[in-house]
Amino acid sequence: MALANVYNTIDTALQDRTRSWTAPFVWLEGRTGVSHVKLFLGCMLTALAFVIASGRMVMLVSNLLGFAYPMYATMELMMRDDMQRETPSPPVPAEQYGRAAPVSPATRWLTYWITFAAVLIVQQLCGDVLQIIPFYFLAKIVFFAWCALPMEANGATFVYRFIVRDYLKQFFN
């Protein structure tokens, strides 16, 4: 219903002949046969794509993509845990499996958030240098998409097995 209201508001504003922006949309609609609302939305999406591609909003987009699904999955895990309130069975010692030990969903998501925080801290400290690196934000998006994959062998599991478990456990013993 709200989208219909937005659509109607845009349609009414674009049909108002007293406004200066109406003339180009009327001309384009006559030439292409595409409605003025669709032309307007296409112009807005194109402008947004140029702003994102020009680097002005790429950091915001990469951070939003890095937060959205993992935040949802973490909240879902917490809610499921609250609903079940079961005591987990004792874990099998990691030494028995080595690096191939199973990693619980809670450990995967906590590792994701630790990794995300570490990358953001490095990014804040070295932000100007990182912006010089070509495709840094694209690589960051791909890395965090890999870390957030909803499967056992995702990037967060890799980071936990090969970095957190091996190098940081000495500080917590």
Side-chain angles (χ1 to χ4, degrees):
M1 202 59 162
L3 287 176
N5 290 339
V6 170
Y7 181 86
N8 290 336
T9 303
I10 293 171
D11 186 39
T12 304
L14 290 176
Q15 287 183 4
D16 185 2
R17 302 283 185 207
T18 62
R19 309 279 175 129
S20 59
W21 62 72
T22 308
F25 288 105
V26 170
W27 182 79
L28 280 172
E29 186 175 6
R31 293 279 196 173
T32 63
V34 178
S35 78
H36 51 278
V37 176
K38 289 181 181 176
L39 288 169
F40 173 76
L41 293 175
C43 290
M44 295 306 294
L45 288 175
T46 302
L48 179 63
F50 278 116
V51 168
I52 290 172
S54 71
R56 300 205 190 285
M57 290 185 58
V58 73
M59 188 166 143
L60 173 67
V61 171
S62 71
N63 286 340
L64 285 175
L65 290 175
F67 279 118
Y69 176 73
M71 182 177 66
Y72 167 78
T74 304
M75 291 299 295
E76 181 183 38
L77 182 67
M78 291 169 56
M79 293 300 131
R80 191 175 342 124
D81 187 47
D82 283 346
M83 300 285 284
Q84 291 176 353
R85 292 284 185 205
E86 294 179 359
T87 357
S89 59
V92 177
E95 291 78 27
Q96 182 177 344
Y97 290 103
R99 287 186 169 165
V103 176
S104 72
T107 301
R108 273 199 324 262
W109 285 115
L110 290 172
T111 303
Y112 175 90
W113 290 116
I114 291 167
T115 304
F116 196 86
V119 168
L120 287 181
I121 289 169
V122 169
Q123 185 176 312
Q124 290 301 316
L125 295 174
C126 308
D128 294 335
V129 174
L130 293 175
Q131 289 181 358
I132 295 171
I133 298 172
F135 306 110
Y136 165 72
F137 287 107
L138 180 61
K140 180 180 158 190
I141 290 170
V142 170
F143 174 72
F144 283 116
W146 176 54
C147 284
L149 283 174
M151 56 187 261
E152 174 65 30
N154 67 9
T157 302
F158 179 85
V159 168
Y160 180 75
R161 286 181 180 158
F162 292 98
I163 296 172
V164 174
R165 187 186 295 165
D166 289 350
Y167 298 108
L168 298 180
K169 71 179 177 183
Q170 64 186 347
F171 298 108
F172 296 99
N173 285 336

